[in-house]
Amino acid sequence: MSSLNLRVPGPTPLPQEVLTALSRQMIDHRSSDFNKLLRFVTDGLKQVYQTKNDMLLLTASGTGGLEAAVANTLSPGERTLVVSIGAFGDRVASIVTAFGGEPVKLSFPVGTAADPEKLRAALKAEPNLKTVFITHNETSTGVTNDLGTLAKVVKGEGKTLVVDGVSSLGSLPCPVDEWGIDLAVSGSQKGWMAPPGLAMISVSAQGWETIKQSKMAKYYFSLTEAKAYADRGETPWTPAVSTLYAMEVGLQMILKEGVQNVFERHAGIGAHTRRAVKAMGFKLVAADEQRASNTVTAVYLPEGAVWKELSAKLRKDYNVVLAGGQASLSGKIFRVGHLGWVSEKDVDAALAALKQVLPMPAKVS
Ligand SMILES: *Cc1c(COP(=O)(O)O)cnc(C)c1O
């Protein structure tokens, strides 16, 4: 089978250098070789996160990282502000509920970003809330929050800020220390040119203070335990060794290209993708193109188009995989992932195939 043009927002295709690294033999995770590997990956991640905070690696997908952030910062019965602009914001609220917390949801209409003034008002309305959860890049709608401005509001009120940066960190600028993000979560299979298997989470001094007070149950995802081991170059439990091999090479590639250049490449591909889908007649889900994501583009399907059929044809006849809609957007939109190891040519090939399978012009009223 010729290789897939996998244009979903994770997992993302891997460069040959990373595929080669994945064939390496196992090493023992209590060895000096592993120490060196973990330290390189941790230091590299800190450079990309632009942080001096602690960096912890958990064996999990991104959701595991979010679960760790919830379970380590909150206590049962605690109310917490969850800013949601789509399915991933909603997921954080569900995790809070599952762990016995009370999410105070601040939701915004589909396709829009969070309004900093509404955030400020919500924080003023409930001054006892200690922690705020915000999605940086909402992968379900292709909208990127103005996190720098939102973070200023949160930090101005002295709150602990937890950010779901799963589909932004590594691809979009997210200077963790400059913005004052206390916990920042990402996942290896998004922009990092690595397979699924690792959640990466940075924790600030204020983050640790909040963690000390947290009474929610945790064991596997205890960040206190993860830090105790990280300080000596280990993880508490058996790590995803192969994913670490991949992260090492992916980070080497990112650092060689230059972090700012990686961000600019994503900005260029994002703009290119939006130009292309608009030229085909599609309407972006992002209401304000200024806030459209540079890692994933979401567009409305034309009237009468059946995504299940289109996506099956794309895969069968063209080896192209695009993502459908999630939750309330299922069947109404599709999404093009353009993060990690991606070029304009990959996007163009996927859209050319889409043009072939579309039963009608893409004009959306
Ligand atoms: C992918 C993603 C996640 C995590 O999903 P997993 O499938 O658990 O890795 C969380 N938040 C956002 C914004 C994402 O894009």
Side-chain angles (χ1 to χ4, degrees):
M1 193 184 86
S2 73
S3 75
L4 282 180
N5 186 354
L6 185 61
R7 298 267 53 92
V8 302
T12 59
L14 305 178
Q16 185 56 49
E17 295 91 320
V18 172
L19 293 173
T20 303
L22 283 167
S23 70
R24 269 190 237 155
Q25 188 53 275
M26 283 301 101
I27 53 169
D28 140 36
H29 60 290
R30 304 293 177 218
S31 63
S32 63
D33 282 349
F34 181 80
N35 271 226
K36 268 196 355 223
L37 174 63
L38 187 66
R39 287 191 200 283
F40 177 85
V41 170
T42 301
D43 289 347
L45 283 166
K46 285 187 192 184
Q47 288 183 56
V48 182
Y49 273 53
Q50 297 169 258
T51 187
K52 294 194 163 64
N53 290 342
D54 287 310
M55 179 67 67
L56 305 170
L57 277 78
L58 310 173
T59 305
S61 77
T63 306
L66 296 176
E67 177 166 321
V70 167
N72 283 269
T73 55
L74 302 178
S75 295
E78 182 176 342
R79 289 166 69 77
T80 186
L81 192 70
V82 178
V83 178
S84 178
I85 63 167
F88 287 100
D90 290 350
R91 182 177 297 182
V92 169
S94 300
I95 298 170
V96 171
T97 303
F99 278 77
E102 274 193 51
V104 178
K105 256 175 101 175
L106 179 63
S107 296
F108 293 89
V110 165
T112 65
D115 175 350
E117 288 317 312
K118 291 202 168 126
L119 173 60
R120 194 190 310 278
L123 288 172
K124 298 274 190 214
E126 259 206 73
N128 290 335
L129 298 179
K130 286 189 303 199
T131 301
V132 179
F133 291 80
I134 304 180
T135 318
H136 184 193
N137 183 74
E138 179 50 75
T139 316
S140 70
T141 59
V143 173
T144 306
N145 269 318
D146 178 4
L147 189 59
T149 304
L150 297 170
K152 241 184 221 149
V153 172
V154 173
K155 299 315 292 179
E157 301 291 327
K159 311 298 178 190
T160 295
L161 173 59
V162 183
V163 168
D164 172 353
V166 175
S167 64
S168 62
L169 280 155
S171 311
L172 311 180
C174 184
V176 165
D177 289 358
E178 187 190 324
W179 289 351
I181 302 168
D182 296 298
L183 282 85
V185 180
S186 190
S188 54
Q189 83 278 21
K190 300 287 170 111
W192 302 96
M193 298 183 281
L198 285 169
M200 307 81 95
I201 177 162
S202 67
V203 183
S204 72
Q206 182 176 333
W208 286 118
E209 282 308 309
T210 305
I211 288 169
K212 257 188 221 152
Q213 291 159 26
S214 156
K215 292 191 175 60
M216 268 180 188
K218 55 251 174 195
Y219 185 87
Y220 183 73
F221 284 142
S222 164
L223 295 179
T224 309
E225 203 70 9
K227 174 167 166 54
Y229 279 82
D231 284 346
R232 52 179 206 255
E234 293 183 25
T235 55
W237 332 115
T238 311
V241 174
S242 299
T243 305
L244 274 157
Y245 291 158
M247 283 294 298
E248 179 183 35
V249 176
L251 279 164
Q252 281 166 346
M253 292 174 70
I254 288 172
L255 296 174
K256 186 169 172 215
E257 182 176 350
V259 177
Q260 294 307 325
N261 293 333
V262 170
F263 297 158
E264 275 167 32
R265 175 163 55 82
H266 282 87
I269 291 180
H272 175 80
T273 306
R274 291 189 292 278
R275 267 196 306 275
V277 292
K278 284 191 299 180
M280 288 170 75
F282 289 114
K283 182 170 174 272
L284 297 173
V285 175
D288 172 5
E289 201 174 328
Q290 296 279 353
R291 301 253 57 90
S293 169
N294 286 327
T295 57
V296 54
T297 295
V299 305
Y300 285 104
L301 280 165
E303 204 72 39
V306 181
W307 182 245
K308 259 197 175 151
E309 291 167 10
L310 289 178
S311 59
K313 242 191 227 166
L314 273 174
R315 177 186 282 260
K316 186 165 157 283
D317 298 344
Y318 298 92
N319 270 326
V320 164
V321 185
L322 300 180
Q326 291 167 281
S328 67
L329 292 174
S330 174
K332 296 187 179 139
I333 69 162
F334 70 88
R335 296 172 299 149
V336 185
H338 37 82
L339 70 172
W341 186 57
V342 56
S343 69
E344 292 185 0
K345 256 179 32 200
D346 301 321
V347 170
D348 291 345
L351 294 179
L354 181 65
K355 218 175 218 168
Q356 297 303 313
V357 302
L358 268 183
M360 68 283 282
K363 276 277 174 261
V364 179
S365 56

Short mmCIF file of all heavy atoms in Angstrom, two decimals, residues 9-11 60-66 87-89 91-92 135-140 164-168 185-190 196-198 295-296 326 335 339, ligand 1:
data_model
loop_
_atom_site.label_atom_id
_atom_site.label_comp_id
_atom_site.label_asym_id
_atom_site.label_seq_id
_atom_site.Cartn_x
_atom_site.Cartn_y
_atom_site.Cartn_z
N PRO A 9 -5.44 16.15 12.63
CA PRO A 9 -4.65 16.84 13.67
C PRO A 9 -4.17 15.87 14.74
O PRO A 9 -4.47 16.02 15.92
CB PRO A 9 -5.64 17.88 14.22
CG PRO A 9 -6.99 17.35 13.91
CD PRO A 9 -6.89 16.46 12.71
N GLY A 10 -3.43 14.90 14.37
CA GLY A 10 -2.82 13.93 15.26
C GLY A 10 -3.57 12.61 15.27
O GLY A 10 -4.78 12.61 15.36
N PRO A 11 -2.83 11.46 15.16
CA PRO A 11 -1.38 11.43 14.99
C PRO A 11 -0.96 11.98 13.64
O PRO A 11 -1.72 11.92 12.66
CB PRO A 11 -1.02 9.94 15.09
CG PRO A 11 -2.30 9.18 15.03
CD PRO A 11 -3.42 10.12 15.22
N ALA A 60 1.15 8.60 28.32
CA ALA A 60 -0.29 8.81 28.10
C ALA A 60 -0.48 9.59 26.82
O ALA A 60 0.47 10.18 26.30
CB ALA A 60 -0.88 9.61 29.26
N SER A 61 -1.71 9.65 26.33
CA SER A 61 -2.03 10.60 25.26
C SER A 61 -2.30 11.96 25.92
O SER A 61 -2.20 12.09 27.15
CB SER A 61 -3.24 10.11 24.45
OG SER A 61 -4.44 10.34 25.17
N GLY A 62 -2.64 12.94 25.13
CA GLY A 62 -2.86 14.29 25.66
C GLY A 62 -3.92 14.33 26.75
O GLY A 62 -3.78 15.06 27.74
N THR A 63 -4.97 13.54 26.60
CA THR A 63 -6.04 13.52 27.59
C THR A 63 -5.51 13.09 28.96
O THR A 63 -5.95 13.60 30.00
CB THR A 63 -7.18 12.59 27.13
OG1 THR A 63 -7.58 13.01 25.82
CG2 THR A 63 -8.38 12.66 28.06
N GLY A 64 -4.55 12.15 28.96
CA GLY A 64 -3.92 11.76 30.22
C GLY A 64 -3.22 12.95 30.87
O GLY A 64 -3.25 13.12 32.08
N GLY A 65 -2.59 13.78 30.04
CA GLY A 65 -1.94 14.98 30.57
C GLY A 65 -2.96 15.94 31.17
O GLY A 65 -2.72 16.54 32.23
N LEU A 66 -4.12 16.06 30.51
CA LEU A 66 -5.18 16.93 31.04
C LEU A 66 -5.73 16.36 32.34
O LEU A 66 -5.99 17.08 33.30
CB LEU A 66 -6.30 17.10 30.01
CG LEU A 66 -5.91 17.79 28.70
CD1 LEU A 66 -7.08 17.81 27.73
CD2 LEU A 66 -5.42 19.21 28.96
N ALA A 87 -14.98 21.22 21.66
CA ALA A 87 -15.03 19.87 22.23
C ALA A 87 -13.90 19.62 23.23
O ALA A 87 -14.09 18.89 24.20
CB ALA A 87 -14.97 18.84 21.10
N PHE A 88 -12.72 20.21 22.99
CA PHE A 88 -11.61 19.94 23.91
C PHE A 88 -11.76 20.71 25.22
O PHE A 88 -11.39 20.22 26.29
CB PHE A 88 -10.26 20.14 23.23
CG PHE A 88 -9.96 19.02 22.27
CD1 PHE A 88 -10.18 19.19 20.91
CD2 PHE A 88 -9.56 17.78 22.72
CE1 PHE A 88 -9.95 18.14 20.02
CE2 PHE A 88 -9.34 16.72 21.85
CZ PHE A 88 -9.54 16.91 20.49
N GLY A 89 -12.31 21.92 25.15
CA GLY A 89 -12.64 22.64 26.38
C GLY A 89 -13.70 21.88 27.16
O GLY A 89 -13.61 21.74 28.39
N ARG A 91 -14.14 18.75 27.11
CA ARG A 91 -13.53 17.54 27.66
C ARG A 91 -12.90 17.84 29.03
O ARG A 91 -13.02 17.04 29.96
CB ARG A 91 -12.47 16.98 26.70
CG ARG A 91 -11.85 15.68 27.20
CD ARG A 91 -10.86 15.08 26.22
NE ARG A 91 -11.50 14.70 24.96
CZ ARG A 91 -10.86 14.11 23.95
NH1 ARG A 91 -9.57 13.82 24.05
NH2 ARG A 91 -11.50 13.79 22.84
N VAL A 92 -12.25 18.97 29.16
CA VAL A 92 -11.66 19.33 30.46
C VAL A 92 -12.75 19.43 31.53
O VAL A 92 -12.59 18.92 32.64
CB VAL A 92 -10.85 20.65 30.35
CG1 VAL A 92 -10.47 21.17 31.73
CG2 VAL A 92 -9.59 20.42 29.51
N THR A 135 -8.12 26.26 26.81
CA THR A 135 -7.56 25.58 25.64
C THR A 135 -6.84 26.63 24.81
O THR A 135 -7.42 27.67 24.51
CB THR A 135 -8.68 24.98 24.77
OG1 THR A 135 -9.65 24.38 25.62
CG2 THR A 135 -8.14 23.96 23.79
N HIS A 136 -5.60 26.38 24.44
CA HIS A 136 -4.91 27.36 23.59
C HIS A 136 -5.45 27.27 22.17
O HIS A 136 -5.99 28.23 21.64
CB HIS A 136 -3.40 27.11 23.61
CG HIS A 136 -2.62 28.14 22.84
ND1 HIS A 136 -1.31 27.98 22.51
CD2 HIS A 136 -2.99 29.34 22.32
CE1 HIS A 136 -0.90 29.06 21.84
NE2 HIS A 136 -1.90 29.89 21.70
N ASN A 137 -5.34 26.08 21.58
CA ASN A 137 -5.78 25.89 20.20
C ASN A 137 -6.90 24.85 20.21
O ASN A 137 -6.65 23.69 20.54
CB ASN A 137 -4.59 25.40 19.36
CG ASN A 137 -4.93 25.25 17.90
OD1 ASN A 137 -5.06 26.24 17.19
ND2 ASN A 137 -5.07 24.02 17.43
N GLU A 138 -8.11 25.28 19.87
CA GLU A 138 -9.27 24.36 19.90
C GLU A 138 -9.30 23.57 18.60
O GLU A 138 -9.76 24.06 17.56
CB GLU A 138 -10.56 25.15 20.13
CG GLU A 138 -11.84 24.33 20.16
CD GLU A 138 -11.79 23.10 21.08
OE1 GLU A 138 -11.86 23.23 22.31
OE2 GLU A 138 -11.68 21.98 20.53
N THR A 139 -8.82 22.35 18.68
CA THR A 139 -8.65 21.49 17.51
C THR A 139 -9.98 21.12 16.85
O THR A 139 -10.02 20.80 15.67
CB THR A 139 -7.90 20.22 17.94
OG1 THR A 139 -6.82 20.60 18.81
CG2 THR A 139 -7.32 19.47 16.76
N SER A 140 -11.09 21.17 17.60
CA SER A 140 -12.37 20.77 17.02
C SER A 140 -12.98 21.84 16.13
O SER A 140 -13.82 21.53 15.28
CB SER A 140 -13.36 20.40 18.14
OG SER A 140 -13.75 21.55 18.85
N ASP A 164 -4.42 23.78 28.07
CA ASP A 164 -4.37 22.66 27.13
C ASP A 164 -3.69 23.20 25.87
O ASP A 164 -4.31 23.88 25.07
CB ASP A 164 -5.78 22.16 26.83
CG ASP A 164 -5.80 21.13 25.69
OD1 ASP A 164 -4.74 20.91 25.06
OD2 ASP A 164 -6.87 20.56 25.43
N GLY A 165 -2.40 22.90 25.76
CA GLY A 165 -1.64 23.31 24.58
C GLY A 165 -1.29 22.11 23.73
O GLY A 165 -0.27 22.11 23.04
N VAL A 166 -2.17 21.09 23.79
CA VAL A 166 -1.83 19.82 23.14
C VAL A 166 -1.57 20.02 21.64
O VAL A 166 -0.59 19.50 21.11
CB VAL A 166 -2.94 18.76 23.38
CG1 VAL A 166 -2.64 17.48 22.60
CG2 VAL A 166 -3.06 18.44 24.86
N SER A 167 -2.42 20.82 20.97
CA SER A 167 -2.24 20.99 19.52
C SER A 167 -1.60 22.32 19.17
O SER A 167 -1.66 22.75 18.02
CB SER A 167 -3.58 20.83 18.81
OG SER A 167 -4.47 21.85 19.20
N SER A 168 -1.00 23.00 20.14
CA SER A 168 -0.31 24.27 19.82
C SER A 168 1.17 24.21 20.17
O SER A 168 2.01 24.61 19.37
CB SER A 168 -0.98 25.43 20.57
OG SER A 168 -0.90 25.27 21.98
N VAL A 185 0.14 21.66 28.99
CA VAL A 185 0.09 20.25 28.57
C VAL A 185 0.21 20.13 27.05
O VAL A 185 -0.43 20.88 26.31
CB VAL A 185 -1.26 19.62 29.01
CG1 VAL A 185 -1.34 18.16 28.58
CG2 VAL A 185 -1.48 19.77 30.50
N SER A 186 1.03 19.19 26.59
CA SER A 186 1.04 18.86 25.17
C SER A 186 1.07 17.33 25.01
O SER A 186 1.08 16.61 26.01
CB SER A 186 2.21 19.51 24.44
OG SER A 186 2.05 19.34 23.03
N GLY A 187 1.08 16.87 23.76
CA GLY A 187 1.08 15.43 23.48
C GLY A 187 2.00 15.12 22.32
O GLY A 187 2.05 15.87 21.34
N SER A 188 2.72 14.02 22.42
CA SER A 188 3.79 13.71 21.45
C SER A 188 3.31 13.56 20.01
O SER A 188 4.08 13.80 19.08
CB SER A 188 4.52 12.44 21.89
OG SER A 188 3.61 11.36 22.08
N GLN A 189 2.05 13.17 19.81
CA GLN A 189 1.61 12.85 18.44
C GLN A 189 1.08 14.05 17.67
O GLN A 189 0.57 13.90 16.57
CB GLN A 189 0.52 11.77 18.48
CG GLN A 189 -0.90 12.24 18.75
CD GLN A 189 -1.23 12.47 20.21
OE1 GLN A 189 -0.34 12.65 21.03
NE2 GLN A 189 -2.50 12.48 20.57
N LYS A 190 1.20 15.26 18.23
CA LYS A 190 0.68 16.44 17.52
C LYS A 190 1.80 17.11 16.73
O LYS A 190 2.22 16.59 15.73
CB LYS A 190 0.01 17.38 18.53
CG LYS A 190 -1.17 16.74 19.27
CD LYS A 190 -2.40 16.58 18.40
CE LYS A 190 -3.48 15.74 19.04
NZ LYS A 190 -4.67 16.47 19.42
N PRO A 196 2.11 8.69 19.14
CA PRO A 196 1.41 8.86 20.41
C PRO A 196 2.19 8.14 21.52
O PRO A 196 2.98 7.23 21.24
CB PRO A 196 0.07 8.17 20.19
CG PRO A 196 -0.07 7.97 18.73
CD PRO A 196 1.31 7.96 18.15
N GLY A 197 1.97 8.52 22.76
CA GLY A 197 2.58 7.80 23.88
C GLY A 197 3.05 8.67 25.02
O GLY A 197 3.18 8.17 26.14
N LEU A 198 3.29 9.96 24.75
CA LEU A 198 3.78 10.80 25.84
C LEU A 198 2.94 12.08 25.95
O LEU A 198 2.63 12.72 24.95
CB LEU A 198 5.24 11.21 25.60
CG LEU A 198 6.30 10.13 25.84
CD1 LEU A 198 7.64 10.61 25.32
CD2 LEU A 198 6.40 9.81 27.34
N THR A 295 -2.56 25.21 12.92
CA THR A 295 -2.24 23.78 12.98
C THR A 295 -3.38 22.91 12.41
O THR A 295 -3.16 21.76 12.05
CB THR A 295 -1.92 23.29 14.41
OG1 THR A 295 -3.02 23.59 15.27
CG2 THR A 295 -0.66 23.93 14.95
N VAL A 296 -4.59 23.46 12.39
CA VAL A 296 -5.72 22.70 11.85
C VAL A 296 -6.73 23.69 11.27
O VAL A 296 -7.03 24.71 11.88
CB VAL A 296 -6.38 21.80 12.92
CG1 VAL A 296 -6.78 22.57 14.16
CG2 VAL A 296 -7.57 21.03 12.37
N GLN A 326 -16.36 16.85 15.30
CA GLN A 326 -16.56 16.20 16.59
C GLN A 326 -17.82 16.76 17.24
O GLN A 326 -18.20 17.90 17.00
CB GLN A 326 -15.37 16.48 17.52
CG GLN A 326 -14.07 15.82 17.10
CD GLN A 326 -12.88 16.38 17.86
OE1 GLN A 326 -12.40 17.46 17.54
NE2 GLN A 326 -12.42 15.68 18.87
N ARG A 335 -11.96 18.69 8.75
CA ARG A 335 -10.77 19.41 9.23
C ARG A 335 -9.51 18.88 8.54
O ARG A 335 -9.40 17.68 8.27
CB ARG A 335 -10.64 19.23 10.75
CG ARG A 335 -11.80 19.87 11.51
CD ARG A 335 -11.76 19.51 12.99
NE ARG A 335 -11.87 18.07 13.18
CZ ARG A 335 -11.30 17.40 14.18
NH1 ARG A 335 -10.59 18.03 15.09
NH2 ARG A 335 -11.45 16.09 14.27
N LEU A 339 0.12 20.16 10.99
CA LEU A 339 1.08 20.42 12.07
C LEU A 339 2.14 19.33 12.06
O LEU A 339 1.90 18.22 11.59
CB LEU A 339 0.39 20.50 13.44
CG LEU A 339 -0.20 19.25 14.08
CD1 LEU A 339 -0.64 19.58 15.51
CD2 LEU A 339 -1.39 18.73 13.32
C1 LIG B 1 -5.46 16.00 20.56
C2 LIG B 1 -5.90 16.93 21.62
C3 LIG B 1 -6.06 16.52 22.96
C4 LIG B 1 -5.75 15.15 23.46
O1 LIG B 1 -6.24 14.11 22.75
P1 LIG B 1 -5.60 12.65 22.90
O2 LIG B 1 -6.33 11.90 21.85
O3 LIG B 1 -5.87 12.19 24.27
O4 LIG B 1 -4.12 12.81 22.66
C5 LIG B 1 -6.42 17.46 23.89
N1 LIG B 1 -6.63 18.74 23.56
C6 LIG B 1 -6.46 19.18 22.31
C7 LIG B 1 -6.67 20.62 22.03
C8 LIG B 1 -6.09 18.29 21.31
O5 LIG B 1 -5.92 18.73 20.06
#
